[in-house]
């Protein structure tokens, strides 16, 4: 009779079962780790792409704002330059118109009256009272000053050039003095070609508006030339 215990297979031990479980558990853990790493890697790439897209969008917006600002500044500068040019042209036009009016009035007087030569020289501008005050940088109350370095002297010279159509560069000032009252002045001027028959210019101070020419005569002789 065979022994029953000899034919039965032995049961696996606990240690063998534990080792089998560990062998099956390790691959699963490894797979999970690989999946997690892959997810993190892909997420990092996606986040980097999103951040880069946002930065590019912000940079484009900043560049657009800078470009618009530069264009607005250019337009503003162009508008300012155009306004300044127009103002300068209008000022030059007004000055030219005033000179043209003065010349026409002088020509009309000469053609109408046609006095003798000596009488014409002394009264060429007497009838012309159409000048305007030249403006002033001075404040009231005004005090007439005949010092060459003063603003008052410079403004009197400017009024004389306005009345005679002579430039300061070509004008010789023979005399600039009081005209008989605190608000009056008298100047005698000429060019190098008209020393013998200079202009006599009478000026009047207009409150807050400056010196105004009121009379211009051409003298028969220059009393300030030594003979």
């Amino acid at each position: 009779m065979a022994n029953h215990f000899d034919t039965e297979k032995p049961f696996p031990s606990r240690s063998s079962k534990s080792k089998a479980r560990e062998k099956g558990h390790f691959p699963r853990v490894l797979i999970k780790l690989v999946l997690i790493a892959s997810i993190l890697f892909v997420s990092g790439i996606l986040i980097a792409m999103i951040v880069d897209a946002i930065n590019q969008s912000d940079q484009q917006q900043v560049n657009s704002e800078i470009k618009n600002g530069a264009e607005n500044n250019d337009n503003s500068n162009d508008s300012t330059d155009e306004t300044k040019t127009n103002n300068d042209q209008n000022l030059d036009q007004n000055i030219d118109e005033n000179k043209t009016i003065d010349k026409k009035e002088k020509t009309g007087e000469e053609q109408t009256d046609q006095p003798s030569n000596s009488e014409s020289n002394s009264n060429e501008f007497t009838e012309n009272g159409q000048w305007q005050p030249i403006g002033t940088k001075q404040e009231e109350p005004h005090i007439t000053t005949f010092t060459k370095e003063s603003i008052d002297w410079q403004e009197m010279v400017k009024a004389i050039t306005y009345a005679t159509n002579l430039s300061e560069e070509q004008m010789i000032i023979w005399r600039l003095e009081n005209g008989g009252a605190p608000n009056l002045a008298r100047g005698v001027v000429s060019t190098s070609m008209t020393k013998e028959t200079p202009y006599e210019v009478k000026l009047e101070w207009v409150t807050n508006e400056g010196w105004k020419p009121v009379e211009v005569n051409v003298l028969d002789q220059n009393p300030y030339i030594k003979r």
Side-chain angles (χ1 to χ4, degrees), residues 4-197:
H4 175 72
F5 293 99
D6 292 336
T7 60
E8 270 185 9
K9 294 181 180 180
F11 291 100
S13 64
R14 291 182 177 179
S15 62
S16 298
K17 292 180 179 180
S18 176
K19 289 179 180 179
R21 290 193 198 99
E22 290 177 355
K23 288 180 180 179
H25 181 68
F26 180 75
R28 290 195 295 271
V29 173
L30 182 60
I31 292 171
K32 290 180 179 180
L33 291 175
V34 172
L35 288 174
I36 292 172
S38 300
I39 292 171
L40 293 175
F41 179 74
V42 173
S43 299
I45 293 175
L46 291 175
I47 292 172
M49 292 175 64
I50 294 172
V51 171
D52 185 60
I54 293 174
N55 290 337
Q56 289 182 357
S57 177
D58 292 342
Q59 185 63 38
Q60 290 176 354
Q61 184 176 0
V62 171
N63 291 338
S64 177
E65 291 176 355
I66 292 173
K67 183 178 179 181
N68 292 335
E71 290 177 353
N72 290 335
N73 287 336
D74 291 340
N75 292 335
S76 178
N77 291 336
D78 292 342
S79 177
T80 301
D81 293 340
E82 183 177 354
T83 301
K84 183 178 179 181
T85 301
N86 291 336
N87 289 338
D88 292 341
Q89 291 176 348
N90 291 336
L91 180 59
D92 293 339
Q93 183 178 358
N94 290 337
I95 293 174
D96 292 339
E97 288 177 354
N98 288 336
K99 289 183 177 180
T100 301
I101 292 173
D102 290 344
K103 288 180 180 179
K104 287 181 179 179
E105 290 174 348
K106 293 172 186 176
T107 303
E109 290 171 3
E110 292 173 356
Q111 292 177 350
T112 302
D113 297 337
Q114 294 185 353
S116 63
N117 290 336
S118 61
E119 185 180 352
S120 175
N121 287 339
S122 62
N123 296 294
E124 182 178 357
F125 299 97
T126 303
E127 300 294 328
N128 195 333
Q130 301 301 315
W131 297 288
Q132 299 298 321
I134 63 166
T136 182
K137 297 179 181 178
Q138 304 179 76
E139 297 180 355
E140 298 294 340
H142 170 258
I143 298 176
T144 304
T145 305
F146 294 99
T147 304
K148 289 185 178 181
E149 292 78 13
S150 66
I151 296 177
D152 205 32
W153 176 281
Q154 296 172 6
E155 291 182 351
M156 283 187 282
V157 172
K158 184 177 179 181
I160 292 173
T161 62
Y162 165 49
T164 59
N165 292 321
L166 300 178
S167 67
E168 291 188 37
E169 291 76 15
Q170 68 179 153
M171 187 171 65
I172 301 172
I173 301 175
W174 296 98
R175 192 78 172 176
L176 186 52
E177 60 187 2
N178 183 278
N183 65 327
L184 299 178
R186 172 183 175 272
V188 177
V189 300
S190 73
T191 67
S192 59
M193 302 296 293
T194 60
K195 291 180 180 180
E196 296 295 334
T197 56

